Amino acid sequence: MNTLLTFSILLLFSSLVWSGYLEYDQDVLIPEDWTKVGRVDPTEELELTFALKQQNVNLLEETLRLVSDPDSAQYGKHLSLEDVSSLVRPSELTQKVVRHWLQSHEITNCVTVSTQDFVKCTMTAEVAEVLLPGSKFHRYVRQGHSLVRSSAPYSVHDDVHQHLDFVGGLHRLPTRRQVLGMEQKRSEAGLHLGVTPSVLRDRYNLTVSDVGRAQNNSQAVAQFLEQYYHPADLAEFMSLYGSSFQHRSQVDRVVGTQGGGKAGIEASLDIEYIMSTGANISTWVFTNPGRHESQEPFLEWMVLLSNMSDLPWVHTISYGDDEDSLSTAYMTRINTEFMKAGVRGISLLFASGDSGAGCRPLSDKQNCFRPSFPASSPYVTTVGGTSFKNPFKISYEVTDYISGGGFSNVFKMPDYQASAVKGYLKAAAALPPQSYYNVTGRAYPDIAALSDNYWVVINRVPVPWVSGTSASAPVVGGMLSLINDQRLLKGLTALGFLNPRLYKLKGQGLFDVTEGCHLGCLDEQVQGQGFCAATSWDPVTGWGTPNYPALLAVLLAE
């Protein structure tokens, strides 16, 4: 199981044309901790999301390259939501075919987004099973939580399939999240006083004056899978750890509905550390418990981004899934959604994962590393993890052995990183056998921050020893929000998609992390070791960790 805090994401299946229908014929994966309790009532309402094929995706990608490349005359000339809509909106034929298909099954309770490329419809389970032949909806439960999914592959008529990327809300059940916390790392954590906002501000050279001031700046975290923060926890955290700098103790906007029950440790971690690092900056929380048991929370978040004209400039997300558990078709469409955000000037940061290089058995005698998505997407900034070299004091950083990293098996290496990765592969003292990874794939992470032994307030109680790259991502996100703040005060645009500029900096403004290796397969060939850190970029800590004043200086230069 991927130890990165996982999000619920649609599994779209590879296809065959058969008798006029396109059948999604891979096995449906049901995690062991979910129990099937029976077929749903035929009259029960479901909500499914239809992703319509978009136009001009290649032009969208080229536009993202131009507005993100500091050497381009188009740098920083981001598009509005209306511009993006005009660029990628599905053709009239596509919209007509899908609309007619739905209406022919008397499905009329539908809403669409501004870009017209997502349509959400409510229908009964009986109608859904007729609309999507082969689907059979069952209820699954886990620890009091209930979801509705189809336990069988489904098909779509070929005439319609050519106009659809996927249908969301059918198959995927979320695997159990895991935060590397007290039980996992307690033996080491006992040596450390623990990471708090003051420790981070000391290590990354943030001063008391490094807080937000711009009125038009904001940042956001997204929480899924029954993860919620409690406002009282945030207030308590700031009272304990925020007295040395100006800060906010309340979230300014919650998009979605906060669920009940106890606070989630991951949601608390995200909000407490983006708001203490990106201090005094307006912060939003996207929360997606779903109104229907058939909803896909991550997909709901993506749909929201496609339908809101005013959004925070920085979003950090601490969720991921094994790349091989998702279809290429699904991930490719999600990449398009990431590009849509990037051309609007939005920075998306994803945690790199907590399984090192990961491990996937190919046979009884052969393993390979297991990349994570969206960490492996070429269109997001992926954040790895580090630890202090000396656990007794604020010292220089080394690799945190859990830090996710490696090479995508699906997406090719983007041009912006080709030179850096080539340099690593050429200079590395030792590399795993090439049979374990795709040397031509998108390499990650891009940057890193401390991921070891954090203090978090949850349910009004300070909890120590919380670890994982789900801590690193909001810390880096908060610092990028501070840099955006200074850019906006100078009349410059937000950073947007950071990677092309980050790789051209070649490590300027960052502390290079050159020691340590992360986890790999426990077998005779690699003996539990993945990749190792090295001078400049590496697939464990990226370019390193932020030296805030130096990074601010180079990212303020136009």
Side-chain angles (χ1 to χ4, degrees):
M1 188 185 92
N2 190 339
T3 54
L4 174 63
L5 303 172
T6 55
F7 56 75
S8 173
I9 215 170
L10 169 72
L11 180 60
L12 179 67
F13 300 108
S14 59
S15 56
L16 301 171
V17 174
W18 175 73
S19 299
Y21 283 81
L22 186 140
E23 184 181 35
Y24 300 90
D25 68 339
Q26 278 187 327
D27 293 335
V28 179
L29 302 177
I30 305 297
E32 293 180 357
D33 53 348
W34 286 95
T35 302
K36 183 192 292 188
V37 295
R39 290 287 297 272
V40 301
D41 189 292
T43 63
E44 180 160 344
E45 284 196 338
L46 310 177
E47 183 173 272
L48 301 182
T49 301
F50 301 86
L52 280 63
K53 286 195 179 293
Q54 301 151 312
Q55 300 188 98
N56 302 314
V57 173
N58 290 340
L59 181 56
L60 175 69
E61 184 173 25
E62 176 63 11
T63 302
L64 177 63
R65 185 188 68 80
L66 292 173
V67 301
S68 307
D69 182 352
D71 295 332
S72 165
Q74 296 298 111
Y75 179 72
K77 295 181 179 179
H78 301 127
L79 306 187
S80 66
L81 177 60
E82 292 72 23
D83 295 331
V84 175
S85 298
S86 298
L87 185 63
V88 303
R89 182 180 294 121
S91 68
E92 290 295 329
L93 177 61
T94 289
Q95 295 182 58
K96 182 178 180 180
V97 168
V98 174
R99 186 165 56 245
H100 180 266
W101 174 57
L102 294 170
Q103 290 175 350
S104 70
H105 290 81
E106 299 184 348
I107 299 170
T108 58
N109 186 8
C110 299
V111 294
T112 189
V113 296
S114 298
T115 48
Q116 311 275 312
D117 48 8
F118 285 113
V119 177
K120 294 198 299 183
C121 297
T122 302
M123 67 202 74
T124 64
E126 182 178 33
V127 170
E129 291 179 358
V130 174
L131 180 74
L132 304 168
S135 61
K136 297 178 181 179
F137 287 91
H138 292 78
R139 175 164 283 101
Y140 295 83
V141 296
R142 181 181 70 186
Q143 294 187 347
H145 299 290
S146 173
L147 289 176
V148 171
R149 294 291 186 267
S150 171
S151 58
Y154 68 93
S155 58
V156 174
H157 196 281
D158 194 40
D159 290 344
V160 177
H161 171 263
Q162 61 186 304
H163 298 285
L164 282 177
D165 282 330
F166 63 78
V167 181
L170 275 93
H171 288 127
R172 188 140 185 89
L173 285 161
T175 52
R176 179 158 299 286
R177 302 173 307 276
Q178 181 177 355
V179 183
L180 289 179
M182 291 187 287
E183 293 183 0
Q184 287 78 9
K185 303 191 78 171
R186 190 163 190 161
S187 61
E188 295 179 23
L191 299 174
H192 199 287
L193 296 178
V195 174
T196 64
S198 62
V199 170
L200 291 169
R201 296 179 81 84
D202 189 340
R203 168 57 187 158
Y204 298 132
N205 293 321
L206 290 155
T207 69
V208 67
S209 63
D210 290 319
V211 296
R213 307 193 192 288
Q215 295 298 311
N216 55 339
N217 192 21
S218 56
Q219 59 191 0
V221 299
Q223 56 191 31
F224 313 107
L225 306 180
E226 302 122 27
Q227 278 282 325
Y228 313 110
Y229 90 99
H230 279 186
D233 290 341
L234 175 60
E236 180 73 10
F237 179 86
M238 289 301 187
S239 71
L240 289 172
Y241 303 116
S243 60
S244 63
F245 54 90
Q246 187 177 356
H247 62 268
R248 300 186 183 204
S249 296
Q250 293 182 332
V251 167
D252 283 328
R253 183 172 179 184
V254 175
V255 181
T257 303
Q258 277 274 102
K262 293 183 178 180
I265 194 167
E266 179 224 325
S268 302
L269 176 70
D270 286 351
I271 198 66
E272 288 168 9
Y273 278 92
I274 196 172
M275 290 188 67
S276 56
T277 308
N280 205 43
I281 293 174
S282 176
T283 303
W284 298 18
V285 171
F286 285 81
T287 180
N288 295 282
R291 292 181 298 107
H292 292 269
E293 291 175 313
S294 57
Q295 285 181 331
E296 301 272 356
F298 181 78
L299 190 57
E300 286 292 296
W301 174 70
M302 296 301 308
V303 170
L304 276 171
L305 296 191
S306 286
N307 207 35
M308 298 180 71
S309 56
D310 295 312
L311 287 168
W313 294 116
V314 172
H315 296 245
T316 74
I317 304 95
S318 299
Y319 300 83
D321 223 337
D322 295 329
E323 205 179 60
D324 58 89
S325 73
L326 305 166
S327 80
T328 300
Y330 172 77
M331 292 186 286
T332 299
R333 172 58 186 263
I334 293 301
N335 277 342
T336 302
E337 300 307 307
F338 293 154
M339 286 191 276
K340 286 164 60 179
V343 297
R344 295 173 63 188
I346 295 167
S347 302
L348 298 178
L349 280 70
F350 280 85
S352 70
D354 299 338
S355 300
C359 189
R360 180 188 181 194
L362 298 177
S363 66
D364 291 342
K365 298 182 179 180
Q366 180 62 48
N367 298 315
C368 68
F369 294 151
R370 196 169 208 170
S372 175
F373 182 84
S376 64
S377 169
Y379 308 107
V380 303
T381 299
T382 304
V383 186
T386 62
S387 302
F388 282 125
K389 173 65 173 180
N390 186 334
F392 294 99
K393 65 180 183 180
I394 299 172
S395 57
Y396 72 90
E397 294 163 74
V398 298
T399 295
D400 188 347
Y401 67 91
I402 65 170
S403 180
F407 295 77
S408 173
N409 289 322
V410 177
F411 307 111
K412 68 179 183 179
M413 187 180 298
D415 291 341
Y416 62 73
Q417 69 170 184
S419 175
V421 178
K422 181 180 179 181
Y424 171 80
L425 294 172
K426 183 178 180 180
L431 289 169
Q434 284 200 14
S435 60
Y436 279 73
Y437 63 100
N438 174 25
V439 71
T440 63
R442 164 17 175 175
Y444 71 96
D446 306 300
I447 195 169
L450 285 163
S451 56
D452 197 21
N453 300 334
Y454 278 66
W455 282 89
V456 178
V457 172
I458 178 169
N459 298 311
R460 303 296 297 274
V461 177
V463 176
W465 304 320
V466 176
S467 301
T469 56
S470 50
S472 314
V475 167
V476 173
M479 281 186 269
L480 293 182
S481 290
L482 290 176
I483 293 171
N484 271 341
D485 208 83
Q486 292 298 308
R487 287 180 61 85
L488 295 170
L489 288 173
K490 287 186 65 175
L492 303 175
T493 59
L495 289 168
F497 178 44
L498 182 64
N499 288 11
R501 186 163 189 174
L502 179 66
Y503 280 79
K504 286 192 174 183
L505 291 176
K506 297 182 178 179
Q508 293 181 72
L510 299 162
F511 295 115
D512 196 5
V513 179
T514 61
E515 294 183 25
C517 307
H518 65 180
L519 298 168
C521 296
L522 289 169
D523 58 26
E524 290 185 6
Q525 284 190 277
V526 298
Q527 299 180 23
Q529 183 172 293
F531 298 96
C532 296
T535 301
S536 297
W537 181 90
D538 59 68
V540 187
T541 62
W543 285 104
T545 62
N547 179 3
Y548 177 74
L551 188 60
L552 173 65
V554 293
L555 291 179
L556 274 181
E558 272 299 288

